[in-house]
Amino acid sequence: MKTIDISEKKVVRRTAKAKGTILLGKKSLILISEKEIEKGDPLEVAELKAIEAVKGTPSAIAFCHPIPIEFVSAEARLIDGGVEISVTVSSLAKTGVEMEALYGVSVGLLNIWDMVKKYEKDENGQYPYTKITDIEVIKKEKGS
């Protein structure tokens, strides 16, 4: 087993933007919009934890090189049927930042699920509406 050797690559500006969605039931969506979630505002927490996650990506992704993170932004917003979070990451590095952006999105969405799970469970303790979906890289730039 080994990592990819990036020692010969040049340091350039690298940016990636990823997004993902969590589908939620109506009750959770109403409570989020009215800022009535018992644990606090899931949108704010998701943004904060996404940013923190980006910085810790190499500790969670086995072959991810640690790189200097120059910029991170996270935006969580209500959409029809759920919440969408997008994360943008920039670095001056020898390797890309797609994994950092994807990991930030994933952790942000998991934090939303954790904060609303009380309202998402049915009478059997199951999650009939809750679903994390469509996590993807929507933009990648290298150079300049």
Side-chain angles (χ1 to χ4, degrees):
M1 220 178 299
K2 62 181 179 177
T3 65
I4 300 297
D5 184 356
I6 61 171
S7 60
E8 299 299 320
K9 292 176 83 175
K10 292 187 182 205
V11 172
V12 297
R13 164 121 359 245
R14 297 168 186 272
T15 302
K17 183 174 185 177
K19 71 173 186 162
T21 302
I22 183 167
L23 304 176
L24 300 171
K26 288 183 181 181
K27 181 178 182 179
S28 293
L29 294 171
I30 291 168
L31 291 171
I32 292 170
S33 69
E34 295 177 353
K35 304 225 182 268
E36 294 292 325
I37 299 294
E38 183 179 351
K39 291 182 176 182
D41 185 342
L43 304 180
E44 288 182 4
V45 170
E47 291 171 352
L48 175 64
K49 295 309 287 184
I51 290 168
E52 287 181 357
V54 164
K55 296 176 181 182
T57 302
S59 67
I61 308 296
F63 296 101
C64 190
H65 291 283
I67 58 173
I69 302 298
E70 307 288 339
F71 173 79
V72 182
S73 70
E75 180 188 4
R77 63 185 184 95
L78 287 168
I79 59 169
D80 187 33
V83 175
E84 179 183 88
I85 186 167
S86 62
V87 174
T88 302
V89 182
S90 291
S91 179
L92 292 171
K94 294 181 176 187
T95 187
V97 290
E98 304 92 77
M99 296 312 297
E100 287 78 2
L102 289 165
Y103 187 57
V105 167
S106 300
V107 170
L109 292 170
L110 288 170
N111 273 274
I112 293 170
W113 191 318
D114 178 62
M115 293 184 74
V116 301
K117 65 186 176 193
K118 170 182 179 178
Y119 314 105
E120 289 293 298
K121 292 179 189 175
D122 66 13
E123 62 278 354
N124 298 314
Q126 301 302 306
Y127 299 97
Y129 308 108
T130 320
K131 182 178 182 181
I132 292 175
T133 185
D134 299 324
I135 298 174
E136 62 181 324
V137 174
I138 58 173
K139 185 177 183 182
K140 177 183 170 183
E141 296 176 349
K142 176 183 169 185
S144 71

